[in-house]
Amino acid sequence: MPASPPRRLHLNAFLMNAGHHDAAWRHPATTPERVTDPAYFVELARTAERGLLDSVFLADGLALWGNVRHNALGGFEPLTLLAALATATRRIGLIATVSTTFNEPYSTARAFASLDHLSGGRAGWNIVTSGSVDEARNFGRDEHLEHGLRYERAREFVDVAVKLWDSWDDDAIVLHRAAGIYADTDRVRPIDHRGEHFRVRGPLNVPRSPQGHPLLAQAGSSEDGREFAARHAEAVFTAQQTLSDAQAFAKDLRSRLARYGRTEDQVRILPGICPVIGSTEAEARALEQELTDLQVPEYGLAQLSGMLGTDLTGLPLDGPLPELPDERDINGNRSRFTLVAELARRDGLTLRELIARLGGGRGHRVVAGTPEQIADELQEWFTAGAADGFNIMPPYLPGGLDHFVDQVVPVLQARGLFRTEYTGRTLRDHYGLARPAGRRGAHA
Amino acid sequence: MPASPPRRLHLNAFLMNAGHHDAAWRHPATTPERVTDPAYFVELARTAERGLLDSVFLADGLALWGNVRHNALGGFEPLTLLAALATATRRIGLIATVSTTFNEPYSTARAFASLDHLSGGRAGWNIVTSGSVDEARNFGRDEHLEHGLRYERAREFVDVAVKLWDSWDDDAIVLHRAAGIYADTDRVRPIDHRGEHFRVRGPLNVPRSPQGHPLLAQAGSSEDGREFAARHAEAVFTAQQTLSDAQAFAKDLRSRLARYGRTEDQVRILPGICPVIGSTEAEARALEQELTDLQVPEYGLAQLSGMLGTDLTGLPLDGPLPELPDERDINGNRSRFTLVAELARRDGLTLRELIARLGGGRGHRVVAGTPEQIADELQEWFTAGAADGFNIMPPYLPGGLDHFVDQVVPVLQARGLFRTEYTGRTLRDHYGLARPAGRRGAHA
């Protein structure tokens, strides 16, 4: 029996404007004037591809995400941007966030099928239920849909999308010119879905795409979010501050898979990490401090108010946090609320210190150090069962991604932890995930 | 006073699968196996750009458009495909159909703003209200919204989109790094729209795009459609069978502009034409006959049933049309119903003959001839006030577009009727349309 190949980690580059640090746009190494320049994102995606990363990822919200007075917000819609990147790259996966709360499954299933064809099988969908009342107000609602109801809708939404992707068999197009038969209509079928939230007849008007289904990613870590991830997600983005928290999360999520008939090798857990890289540890810490010094406190306070569901304006920055609501009363991102509240309590942080701690990763772990130190950290989490890979969130761009690709990736490769060439063509290939069989396959 | 530049015509390439003729996919010169290959569309768009055409255009529907058993239906979603084409082309405009009936204005406004940034100002939106019950059934409805109500919703939809595009002033991003001010929030404002169909708070989460607004195109030619076009459209696609009908349509549409404070130079009327090109007239007619001979009668009959709102299955192909409903009872594409019914009546066509006449252009004018004869026809309509340009619908692809670009365009150029180089950068530049001022401009 041949030895099984060594387990290797997976890396996703999470791209965001001038970088993930909320003061990145003020740093002299960034180019915030380029956040609506497609060439800027082409360069970033090509850098990630040069580093043989599994994928790039664009998060999304359906409203401005904070106060644009103090941060470089506003930019491309992710599906159109990724479609443009599809023709400018060859191998790297392309993952976009799309909300199940403010879209229709027919349109979303179709857009991802189209992106999958455009990219030759490199599309991924990060499924979100959207967390903010600002988004609801752009879609005719005064208040946001309740947390549990959002997840109910999301489950049915994804079920419909899956049926639509499978509404064409892989071999539906027969192309018999002489007989005048283009498709075998026994292999292109309506889905006739009639559920609580959606009625969709189908079939999709896009043939089955190279991956069958796009890779399904998910980032909610609340109780509802974990259950949803266990049912549907193939890649799970998560914010974890400590190794033990990350281990507990991974263990919990994996324990939920069996009830959906799924196994651990069908899911990749990817904690976020914001790597602040220096040629010495002191240099990395100085860069981190430089970014902290550029933070605009009003901006950080407003972001923190949103995360904590509590208006903090006017409170003294050097004082402690006020009394916080119960997690059950949070209708936005519940797991992020809990993480931030716990972080402040555990380390006894003032508001100013908490804003500094959240500046780089909005709750994701920030690690400052040399390329070797960053690699050590990734290796530790990976070997300790806390992660199958990482969602890399460079604090500033493009430099932070360049340094990761040019300095950290070679260390991981030298240790045998990361690929030295792409061996597959599709995003599923990169993540080591099987191609779904489709209805015909399922019934055969 | 300098002489005003000569009036020149505008040309849009309407791209569709293997070509516009419903039997194109069966013709040996086409490659229907490439309709989900992005490189195929890149080649087509680059051909149109080589011909200095104003734009390429992708129509759309939110269901399969006919019986996929007998035609190469199903393919890319247009916004993602055009975003991919944006990075593969440099100058040509990119126009996509998006429905106001099955989308939300925030998402649609945002996608077009994003495409406009991605393409450096080359985005255009063909606004449709969607005409089929098959589409309604993919979006939770058993029946289609009534014709007049669809147009009411469309008017408000576009009003909201315009407000969102103008929710950022052109100079909103001030980028004062030292002061920590990214955008002047007096210049990024909520729109607070509260109407009959939509409540949208805004602002958009995309800065104002190169064109301010994408170019707005529209193709409805019914009473409701003409009034909508008079109010909003900057390019009007229309199906007209005869010069006198086209003249009457153009005159009628232009006469409606004043009540919206608009003038003739703000609208380009572009009748569709399916040019069947041969090196002799006999060769062109032979190609037309070859395509007709490849038609699948069941397919043509089903398409005709849809256009006429009348089930024609089982009727003898060599007999006349049955009694037809009144235009007022048609809830789909009303103007197309009237055009087809009139064509059959005027020329006394059997069902088979009508299917043959509609095969190439689905009601758009088909002209078979030499490049000079095609150019004569375009020139006659252009100089007689029936058209500001044309929507070119090649019967088969890629050859039909190659021939138009390589053989007809040079004739038009030699006659001084068409540009010999691109003089502008944006789609609005190509069509000679002004950039909208935005709110700040409007209030200055």
Side-chain angles (χ1 to χ4, degrees), chain A residues 173-186:
Chain A
I173 298 171
V174 293
L175 206 49
H176 289 165
R177 276 174 151 146
I181 298 171
Y182 176 73
D184 177 348
T185 38
D186 289 342

Side-chain angles (χ1 to χ4, degrees), chain A residues 30 60 87 110 140 177 199, chain B residues 30 60 87 110 140 177 199:
Chain A
T30 65
D60 196 45
T87 49
R110 186 179 180 221
R177 276 174 151 146
R199 283 183 298 141
Chain B
T30 65
D60 196 45
T87 50
R110 186 177 179 224
R177 277 174 151 146
R199 282 182 299 141

Side-chain angles (χ1 to χ4, degrees), chain A residues 102-182:
Chain A
F102 301 115
N103 287 289
E104 288 282 333
Y106 195 89
S107 300
T108 298
R110 186 179 180 221
F112 278 103
S114 186
L115 181 63
D116 205 45
H117 280 291
L118 280 169
S119 60
R122 296 185 283 136
W125 172 20
N126 180 43
I127 305 161
V128 303
T129 66
S130 298
S132 85
V133 69
D134 287 341
E135 295 171 281
R137 288 178 183 162
N138 288 332
F139 291 83
R141 299 185 192 146
D142 292 323
E143 290 305 327
H144 201 31
L145 264 188
E146 185 272 318
H147 196 270
L149 194 59
R150 290 208 305 274
Y151 273 98
E152 271 181 36
R153 180 181 160 107
R155 280 191 294 276
E156 190 181 330
F157 193 112
V158 176
D159 287 343
V160 175
V162 165
K163 290 185 201 175
L164 288 168
W165 291 320
D166 291 344
S167 64
W168 292 60
D169 291 338
D170 286 315
D171 57 0
I173 298 171
V174 293
L175 206 49
H176 289 165
R177 276 174 151 146
I181 298 171
Y182 176 73

Side-chain angles (χ1 to χ4, degrees), chain B residues 189-258:
Chain B
R189 293 153 304 223
I191 67 167
D192 284 325
H193 176 89
R194 292 185 164 265
E196 272 302 298
H197 300 273
F198 305 107
R199 282 182 299 141
V200 180
R201 179 154 162 77
L204 201 60
N205 53 357
V206 182
R208 203 158 192 270
S209 71
Q211 292 189 111
H213 310 166
L215 178 127
L216 300 181
Q218 204 269 349
S221 297
S222 66
E223 175 61 30
D224 287 332
R226 290 175 192 215
E227 205 59 25
F228 184 87
R231 179 175 169 144
H232 286 299
E234 300 173 296
V236 176
F237 298 136
T238 183
Q240 302 293 336
Q241 283 286 323
T242 66
L243 174 59
S244 61
D245 284 352
Q247 285 174 311
F249 173 81
K251 188 176 170 189
D252 175 75
L253 185 64
R254 290 178 185 130
S255 76
R256 295 171 190 246
L257 296 169

Side-chain angles (χ1 to χ4, degrees), chain A residues 25-26 30 32 60-61 69-71 74-75 77 80 87 110 114 137-138 140 142 177-178 180 182 199 201-202 205, chain B residues 25-26 30 32 60-61 69-71 74-75 77 80 87 110 114 137-138 140 142 177-178 180 182 199 201-202 205:
Chain A
W25 71 275
R26 297 184 69 190
T30 65
D60 196 45
R69 182 166 173 82
H70 299 302
N71 199 355
E77 181 279 328
T80 42
T87 49
R110 186 179 180 221
S114 186
R137 288 178 183 162
N138 288 332
D142 292 323
R177 276 174 151 146
Y182 176 73
R199 283 183 298 141
R201 181 155 161 74
N205 54 357
Chain B
W25 72 275
R26 298 185 68 191
T30 65
D60 196 45
R69 182 164 173 82
H70 299 303
N71 200 355
E77 181 278 328
T80 42
T87 50
R110 186 177 179 224
S114 187
R137 287 176 185 163
N138 288 330
D142 292 323
R177 277 174 151 146
Y182 177 73
R199 282 182 299 141
R201 179 154 162 77
N205 53 357

Side-chain angles (χ1 to χ4, degrees), chain A residues 92-280:
Chain A
I92 196 156
L94 306 164
I95 305 177
T97 289
V98 171
S99 169
T100 54
T101 299
F102 301 115
N103 287 289
E104 288 282 333
Y106 195 89
S107 300
T108 298
R110 186 179 180 221
F112 278 103
S114 186
L115 181 63
D116 205 45
H117 280 291
L118 280 169
S119 60
R122 296 185 283 136
W125 172 20
N126 180 43
I127 305 161
V128 303
T129 66
S130 298
S132 85
V133 69
D134 287 341
E135 295 171 281
R137 288 178 183 162
N138 288 332
F139 291 83
R141 299 185 192 146
D142 292 323
E143 290 305 327
H144 201 31
L145 264 188
E146 185 272 318
H147 196 270
L149 194 59
R150 290 208 305 274
Y151 273 98
E152 271 181 36
R153 180 181 160 107
R155 280 191 294 276
E156 190 181 330
F157 193 112
V158 176
D159 287 343
V160 175
V162 165
K163 290 185 201 175
L164 288 168
W165 291 320
D166 291 344
S167 64
W168 292 60
D169 291 338
D170 286 315
D171 57 0
I173 298 171
V174 293
L175 206 49
H176 289 165
R177 276 174 151 146
I181 298 171
Y182 176 73
D184 177 348
T185 38
D186 289 342
R187 307 182 206 169
V188 183
R189 292 153 305 222
I191 66 167
D192 284 326
H193 176 89
R194 292 183 165 265
E196 273 299 299
H197 299 274
F198 305 106
R199 283 183 298 141
V200 180
R201 181 155 161 74
L204 200 61
N205 54 357
V206 182
R208 202 156 191 269
S209 71
Q211 291 190 111
H213 310 166
L215 177 125
L216 299 182
Q218 204 269 349
S221 297
S222 65
E223 175 61 29
D224 287 332
R226 290 174 193 216
E227 205 59 24
F228 183 87
R231 179 175 170 146
H232 286 300
E234 300 173 295
V236 176
F237 299 135
T238 182
Q240 301 293 337
Q241 283 287 322
T242 67
L243 174 59
S244 62
D245 284 353
Q247 285 173 312
F249 173 82
K251 188 175 170 190
D252 175 76
L253 186 64
R254 290 178 185 130
S255 76
R256 297 171 189 246
L257 294 169
R259 81 183 74 152
Y260 301 105
R262 303 181 70 207
T263 54
E264 291 186 17
D265 64 343
Q266 294 177 289
V267 182
R268 303 286 171 260
I269 299 175
L270 307 169
I273 182 167
C274 175
V276 184
I277 305 168
S279 56
T280 63

